[in-house]
Structures are given as structure tokens and as C-alpha cells.
């Protein structure tokens, strides 16, 4: 007899999935991978008790990245949440922005009117799109749940249905549901209600924040902030927690005494917020707490029950550089309710393949040693993150587990024997390339309008680190293709995906190198070479997108292709056509 159970209904669910893992099933973001060769039936080694070394294991989703989770339909979000449950995640963090269509509120006589996704930009994927096959005949890349919904009321209804559905799916699978909001960010139309406000530095200039004329005791500012926060609580009454994100708050320089942090702390203690939104039944949290904010908190007691989500850097490497600070960062009472954001994938490193499991392991260990409660995974590209996500989910229960051991468990089951050595070597090369790019440029391939043109405008030769990263992508691609030839037929989807992604990375590096060289040629007045380098960049980008399209599996993959067409392929083509 085999007894499968847990200390709660959700723990019993995890135990059932652990039986599947014992018999070779692997849980990926895109679905379950059955073993390439089913192991012989045996209960040896299955008699064990699993206890987490990190109590909170959260996944952060939505956000505002065009190649991120913002473009996922509710059906796609539900599928991902189901996979996260199998990986023993117990919290879903839903990150929203002021201009998105998720809440409606009125403050100081002004009603919210903004209801856009993708920063209000359109991403056509029609006939001149490189990698068009990934879009399966669609002519516009968008969240399918919002297709054809053009009015404010229609988009608001779609947004509410999306977030409410995500909350329901998470809670049905035993997860907490948390909304992550920015208390100092408001839709652009509220500039009329807050004289002296400033436009925030976000694409499309869609938001405002307090300006130098506002003080931390400004009644108008407080009224707008409370109205916006209350709208989240009232619109989604089943939320388990509301976290206030203070990242970027240091850009507000209030006049008079007080700091932005003190203002946000006062919102956490706002009586009317709890009374009107029912938040007395939920937890409040402070998110986006960097080192400076954490040190400031040491002298300012938090309201009772307030959780703290710390952020040390935009990538795992950058965060790990200061991970030794974590243990001494907070007083004991704050440490007991602290969590750490772990960037499993960085939007700054962007669309290129990336992996930093070694740094992730150091962050998990620092969190354990400090006595913090857990981690929130900031996952960006779901397909790329499958190996790192597998390691993190297992390491939260087994502190001795190493990335190579975890990845070998994944590869052996999915692709069969004799494949792991090739893929482990390839993933090691990928980690080296990721670190090189992360150290050379804080926003190397971030999705924004100048993501490629900035390289042509740099006026400098490509950094030496790029050449090595390019070699690593090429070598990692070769290892994946070698592994693909050895993989069993049912497991080749895994090896082929990474082979094509690394092929994309190789061509992308050629593209940005050529753009740098075109800028140097332009500065030297060499028009012939400038044009030749632009042509090389355009051809390389086309090859990169064609390789990517061959294996695009989810909206994040398709989003990256759509973004690179709008901000890269078409822009470079226009530059070549210009007289």
C-alpha cells in the first residue's frame, strides 16, 4: 500500500504530484512532460516526508512587458497557474499598472479613463513580419481576451474577468492571491486633480506621480492614492493580500519634511482603506524594498502584520552581488515577515536566451540563512525559464540540491539517457553568456522602442564581452543539436526549443554587432560600410526571428517576435530605404 497525503488539502495535492515526479513526470511551464522511457515500477526511495525550507514560494505575473505575461489570455494564465501548483508554488502575485483596464475609480472629481495594455502600442504581424509563422494567421499581436473590445467599459469588463479568473484559479489550487500595485502612480488623466504632478518615465507617458510641489502630508495626493487602492480591494474582494510597490519612489522629491517611504507607510496604516475595502481580513505588504529602503525601515516600525518584499537587483547576478547584506539587513521582527524577489529571468537582459541558476542558488541560501519567509519569482520568458524554474521549485524543499543535479533529473526524464552531458554543457555556456551581457549593459535587450537603434547610435565598437557571449551561444547551440540527435523522439521538443533559441541568440548578437559597426562607420563618414553593416544587421535579425518562430510556444515567445518586428526589423528596413 502507498499512502499519499499532507498536512492540508494543498499539501496532499503536492504529494500526489510528487508521486508523478517519482515515476518520471516533469512539470514544465508549458505542460507536463511524460518520461521518454517509463521507469520500472518501484516504490524504493518514495518513503519520505517533504518539508519546505522556504515557506512562501510566489510567482509574479501580468506586469507591463509586451513580451511578458500581459498578453496572456485567461485560459493561458490558468494553464500556467496549474503548472505552478504542480511545482508547489503557494502564492500568485498579480502585478498591475495604473493605466491598465483592471480597476475603475473617481478621485477629486476626475474619473479614470485609461484602459490600455502593451503601453497602448499596436504590434502588427501582417505580411511583412519576420517569423510570421509563429502567429498562426493573426495580423495583430494582442491579448486575445481584449480583441474587438474598444470602449472603456468593454475593456474594463475584460480586465476584471481576467484578474478575477486568475485569483479564482490560484485559490482553487491552494495558492494565495496577491495584488501588487504602485501607490505613487496614477493614470495620466489625474494630472487635472493633482496640480504640480509630473509625468512618469514610462513608455507612452501613460502615468503621473507626485511632483516637487507635493508634500508627504498633501491631502489631495492622499485622497487619490487611497481611492485607487480601495478600488483594488473593492473590485477583487477575494484577494488575500495587497502589496504596495515602492520601486521608483525615490524619484519623487517632496517639498518639506518627510520621505516617499514615510508617505507609503502611512497608507498602510490608513483606517478608511481597511474599512472601505475589507482589508482588515487581509494582509498588507510593502514591495520593491531595496537596500536603502530596508535601512530606512530599521528606524520606522512597520504596522502590525505587514509583510516586506525586498528587491536587490534586476537580475539574479546583480541581486547576488549584495546577497551577503540580506542576513544583516533587517531586525528580527522584520526578518520574520520578509521575502526576497528572485529574478529567474530579467527583462533587462531581455529577449535573448538567459539563465542564472548559480546566482539563484546563492539567493535562496541567503534567504534561508537570514530567516526570511520565502521568495517571489519574477519570471519573464516562460520557455527559457523551464530549467531554472525546475531547479528553484525543487531547491525550496531540498537545500542541498545543486543546479546540475536538478537539471540532470529533468533532462534524463524528458529526453532520455546520454543527453544530459551535452545539455548541461550548453546550459553552462548560457550562464556564462548571460553574466557577460548583464555586466556589459544594464538594459541589453530590454523591450523598448530603441532596443536596437540604441546600438547604432552608440558610436562605439561592440564590447569585447559580446564576442565571447556570441561564441557561447554558438557553442551552446551545437550542444543542444548534439543532444537533440541523441534524445528520444518524445523528448526532442525540449532539446529543439533550446537549440533554436540559442540559434536566435547567435543571430541576434551578429545583428547588434553590425549595428554598432554601422554607427562607427557613420561617424567616420563611410556611407558604403554603414549601409553594408545595416544590411547585415537586417539579414541577421530576419534569421534570428525565423529560428525563433520555429519553436514559439506561448504568448511570451510570440510577443518577443512581435516586439522585434516593430522596434527592429521594420525600423532597420526603413533606415535602409531612406535616401
Amino acid at each position: 500500500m502507498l499512502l499519499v497525503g499532507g498536512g492540508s488539502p494543498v499539501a496532499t495535492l503536492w504529494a500526489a504530484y510528487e508521486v508523478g515526479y517519482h515515476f518520471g513526470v516533469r512539470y514544465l511551464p508549458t505542460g507536463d512532460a511524460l518520461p521518454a522511457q517509463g521507469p520500472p515500477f518501484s516504490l524504493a526511495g518514495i518513503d519520505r516526508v517533504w518539508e519546505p525550507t522556504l515557506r512562501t514560494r510566489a510567482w509574479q505575473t501580468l506586469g507591463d512587458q509586451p513580451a511578458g505575461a500581459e498578453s496572456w489570455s485567461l485560459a493561458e494564465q490558468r494553464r500556467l497557474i496549474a503548472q505552478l501548483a504542480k511545482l508547489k508554488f503557494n502564492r500568485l502575485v498579480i502585478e498591475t499598472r495604473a493605466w491598465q483596464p483592471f480597476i475603475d475609480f473617481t478621485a477629486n472629481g476626475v474619473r479614470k479613463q485609461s484602459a490600455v495594455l502593451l503601453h497602448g502600442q499596436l504590434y502588427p504581424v501582417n505580411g511583412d513580419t519576420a517569423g510570421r509563422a509563429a502567429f498562426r494567421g493573426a495580423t495583430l499581436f494582442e491579448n486575445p481576451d481584449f480583441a474587438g473590445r474598444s470602449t472603456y467599459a468593454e475593456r474594463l469588463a475584460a480586465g476584471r474577468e481576467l484578474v478575477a479568473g486568475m485569483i479564482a484559479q490560484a485559490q482553487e489550487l491552494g495558492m494565495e492571491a496577491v495584488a501588487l500595485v504602485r501607490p505613487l502612480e496614477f493614470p495620466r488623466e489625474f494630472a487635472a486633480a493633482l496640480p504640480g504632478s509630473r509625468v512618469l518615465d514610462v513608455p507612452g507617458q501613460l502615468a503621473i506621480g507626485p511632483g516637487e510641489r507635493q508634500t508627504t502630508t498633501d491631502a489631495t495626493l492622499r485622497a487619490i492614492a487611497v481611492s485607487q487602492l480601495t478600488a483594488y480591494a473593492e473590485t477583487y474582494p477575494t484577494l488575500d493580500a495587497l502589496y504596495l510597490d515602492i520601486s521608483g519612489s525615490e524619484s519623487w522629491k517632496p517639498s518639506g519634511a518627510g520621505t516617499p517611504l514615510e508617505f507609503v507607510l502611512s497608507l498602510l496604516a490608513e483606517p478608511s482603506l481597511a474599512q472601505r475595502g475589507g482589508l482588515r481580513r487581509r494582509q498588507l505588504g510593502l514591495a520593491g524594498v531595496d537596500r536603502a529602503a530596508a535601512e530606512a525601515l530599521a528606524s520606522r516600525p512597520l504596522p502590525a502584520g505587514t509583510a516586506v518584499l525586498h528587491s536587490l537587483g534586476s537580475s539574479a547576478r546583480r541581486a547576488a552581488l549584495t546577497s551577503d547584506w540580506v542576513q544583516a539587513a533587517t531586525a528580527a521582527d522584520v526578518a520574520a515577515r520578509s521575502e526576497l524577489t528572485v529574478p529567474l529571468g530579467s527583462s533587462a537582459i531581455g529577449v535573448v536566451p538567459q539563465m542564472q541558476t548559480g546566482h539563484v542558488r546563492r539567493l535562496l541560501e541567503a534567504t534561508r540563512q537570514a530567516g526570511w519567509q520565502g521568495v517571489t519569482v519574477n519570471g519573464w520568458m516562460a520557455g527559457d525559464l523551464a530549467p531554472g524554474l525546475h531547479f528553484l521549485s525543487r531547491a525550496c524543499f531540498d537545500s542541498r540540491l545543486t543546479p546540475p543535479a536538478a537539471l540532470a533529473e529533468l533532462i534524463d526524464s524528458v529526453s532520455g539517457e546520454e543527453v544530459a552531458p551535452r545539455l548541461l554543457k550548453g546550459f553552462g555556456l548560457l550562464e556564462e553568456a548571460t553574466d557577460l551581457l548583464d555586466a556589459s549593459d544594464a538594459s541589453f535587450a530590454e523591450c523598448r522602442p530603441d532596443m536596437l537603434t540604441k546600438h547604432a547610435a552608440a558610436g562605439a565598437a561592440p564590447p569585447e564581452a559580446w564576442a565571447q557571449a556570441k561564441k557561447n551561444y554558438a557553442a551552446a547551440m551545437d550542444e543542444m543539436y548534439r543532444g537533440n540527435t541523441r534524445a528520444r523522439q518524445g523528448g526532442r521538443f525540449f532539446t529543439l526549443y533550446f537549440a533554436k533559441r540559442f540559434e536566435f541568440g547567435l543571430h541576434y548578437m551578429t545583428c547588434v554587432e553590425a549595428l554598432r559597426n554601422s554607427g562607427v562607420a557613420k561617424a567616420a563618414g563611410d556611407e558604403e560600410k554603414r549601409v553594408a553593416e545595416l544590411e547585415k544587421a537586417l539579414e541577421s535579425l530576419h534569421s534570428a526571428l525565423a529560428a525563433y518562430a520555429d519553436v514559439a510556444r506561448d504568448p511570451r515567445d510570440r510577443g518577443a517576435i512581435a516586439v522585434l518586428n516593430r522596434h527592429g526589423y521594420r525600423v532597420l528596413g526603413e533606415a535602409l530605404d531612406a535616401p
Side-chain angles (χ1 to χ4, degrees):
M1 181 177 70
L2 175 64
L3 180 63
V4 181
S8 66
V10 68
T12 301
L13 180 71
W14 296 337
Y17 288 132
E18 197 59 35
V19 173
Y21 190 93
H22 174 82
F23 288 110
V25 181
R26 297 296 179 260
Y27 309 115
L28 307 177
T30 51
D32 295 345
L34 299 181
Q37 181 177 3
F41 180 80
S42 171
L43 299 183
I46 203 170
D47 185 10
R48 63 180 302 182
V49 176
W50 281 73
E51 288 287 346
T53 61
L54 293 169
R55 307 299 301 181
T56 301
R57 303 168 301 282
W59 178 268
Q60 187 170 327
T61 187
L62 271 188
D64 67 331
Q65 289 292 330
E70 190 183 22
S71 58
W72 289 49
S73 68
L74 177 56
E76 291 161 335
Q77 288 281 3
R78 280 175 170 159
R79 282 194 291 271
L80 177 60
I81 294 168
Q83 295 307 111
L84 294 172
K86 297 172 186 179
L87 293 166
K88 306 184 188 71
F89 278 77
N90 59 5
R91 179 181 292 171
L92 187 72
V93 178
I94 304 171
E95 178 190 3
T96 66
R97 301 302 294 265
W99 57 84
Q100 292 173 327
F102 301 131
I103 60 165
D104 180 44
F105 71 99
T106 300
N108 286 31
V110 176
R111 183 178 179 183
K112 183 176 183 286
Q113 302 170 25
S114 301
V116 300
L117 298 176
L118 305 176
H119 294 110
Q121 298 185 13
L122 297 178
Y123 290 90
V125 288
N126 48 20
D128 65 341
T129 298
R132 188 185 178 193
F135 299 96
R136 304 167 188 171
T139 59
L140 183 69
F141 174 73
E142 60 181 335
N143 187 314
D145 287 353
F146 291 80
R149 303 199 183 191
S150 56
T151 68
Y152 177 78
E154 290 172 338
R155 295 183 68 79
L156 182 62
R160 286 172 169 169
E161 184 178 350
L162 173 62
V163 172
M166 293 169 64
I167 293 171
Q169 173 76 345
Q171 292 174 337
E172 183 179 350
L173 294 171
M175 298 184 191
E176 294 178 341
V178 175
L180 180 68
V181 302
R182 287 170 170 78
L184 297 176
E185 175 185 273
F186 314 110
R188 180 72 182 266
E189 55 268 27
F190 283 89
L194 189 63
S197 60
R198 60 195 171 89
V199 177
L200 299 182
D201 184 21
V202 296
Q205 297 186 323
L206 295 170
I208 65 161
E212 293 182 357
R213 289 175 55 183
Q214 272 78 46
T215 67
T216 56
T217 58
D218 189 312
T220 301
L221 172 62
R222 186 178 189 83
I224 298 174
V226 170
S227 295
Q228 182 169 249
L229 295 175
T230 302
Y232 280 100
E234 293 179 341
T235 305
Y236 307 106
T238 58
L239 277 171
D240 294 292
L242 187 65
Y243 276 32
L244 309 189
D245 188 350
I246 62 170
S247 57
S249 62
E250 70 280 355
S251 62
W252 173 33
K253 308 297 182 185
S255 60
T259 66
L261 178 60
E262 290 172 334
F263 178 80
V264 175
L265 288 176
S266 72
L267 293 176
L268 290 172
E270 171 63 39
S272 63
L273 179 62
Q275 293 167 4
R276 293 165 60 190
L279 286 176
R280 68 181 68 184
R281 299 189 302 274
R282 306 188 188 98
Q283 185 180 50
L284 289 170
L286 195 64
V289 178
D290 60 14
R291 183 167 183 169
E295 291 172 350
L297 285 174
S299 60
R300 295 171 177 81
L302 286 170
T306 302
V308 183
L309 179 57
H310 299 260
S311 298
L312 299 183
S314 61
S315 70
R317 184 192 72 87
R318 293 172 185 266
L321 288 174
T322 58
S323 61
D324 58 342
W325 163 82
V326 170
Q327 196 161 4
T330 51
D333 61 326
V334 177
R337 38 188 165 144
S338 287
E339 302 149 10
L340 181 65
T341 297
V342 175
L344 199 58
S346 169
S347 61
I349 302 172
V351 296
V352 295
Q354 54 180 291
M355 179 183 287
Q356 295 188 329
T357 51
H359 299 305
V360 167
R361 189 188 187 200
R362 282 188 282 276
L363 292 175
L364 296 181
E365 186 58 29
T367 306
R368 289 190 196 96
Q369 291 180 355
W372 289 9
Q373 289 300 294
V375 294
T376 293
V377 177
N378 192 342
W380 198 67
M381 298 291 286
D384 278 1
L385 298 183
L389 180 59
H390 174 80
F391 161 70
L392 184 143
S393 68
R394 308 297 294 177
C396 284
F397 284 77
D398 182 359
S399 60
R400 297 170 298 177
L401 186 67
T402 65
L407 296 183
E409 283 187 5
L410 173 64
I411 297 164
D412 286 345
S413 182
V414 172
S415 299
E417 297 178 356
E418 300 182 1
V419 180
R422 299 264 67 89
L423 269 59
L424 288 175
K425 183 177 179 181
F427 287 139
L429 290 164
L430 174 60
E431 293 222 24
E432 293 175 6
T434 305
D435 283 355
L436 288 168
L437 296 177
D438 187 38
S440 69
D441 188 339
S443 58
F444 175 72
E446 185 176 6
C447 290
R448 62 189 199 190
D450 68 340
M451 60 186 299
L452 286 173
T453 56
K454 70 174 185 177
H455 296 301
E464 292 182 6
W466 288 13
Q468 185 59 53
K470 181 179 176 180
K471 290 179 181 178
N472 279 33
Y473 280 133
M477 177 189 70
D478 290 342
E479 295 299 337
M480 293 298 146
Y481 277 120
R482 291 188 185 107
N484 194 57
T485 61
R486 299 182 181 186
R488 294 185 178 272
Q489 188 63 39
R492 288 181 180 170
F493 76 94
F494 184 81
T495 50
L496 184 61
Y497 179 84
F498 286 100
K500 288 288 186 178
R501 277 291 284 149
F502 297 164
E503 184 178 345
F504 165 86
L506 172 62
H507 290 306
Y508 190 91
M509 294 306 302
T510 301
C511 172
V512 294
E513 283 179 339
L515 289 174
R516 280 292 189 101
N517 291 331
S518 73
V520 173
K522 180 180 180 180
D526 190 341
E527 182 64 12
E528 182 178 352
K529 183 174 182 181
R530 183 190 75 86
V531 172
E533 293 291 345
L534 278 179
E535 290 175 342
K536 182 179 180 180
L538 187 63
E539 181 181 353
S540 298
L541 185 57
H542 187 279
S543 298
L545 294 172
Y548 199 172
D550 286 342
V551 291
R553 297 185 295 196
D554 61 42
R556 298 190 199 213
D557 291 331
R558 293 189 286 274
I561 295 172
V563 167
L564 285 168
N565 270 278
R566 178 185 170 99
H567 300 320
Y569 189 70
R570 293 191 179 97
V571 173
L572 297 182
E574 291 169 0
L576 279 172
D577 292 339

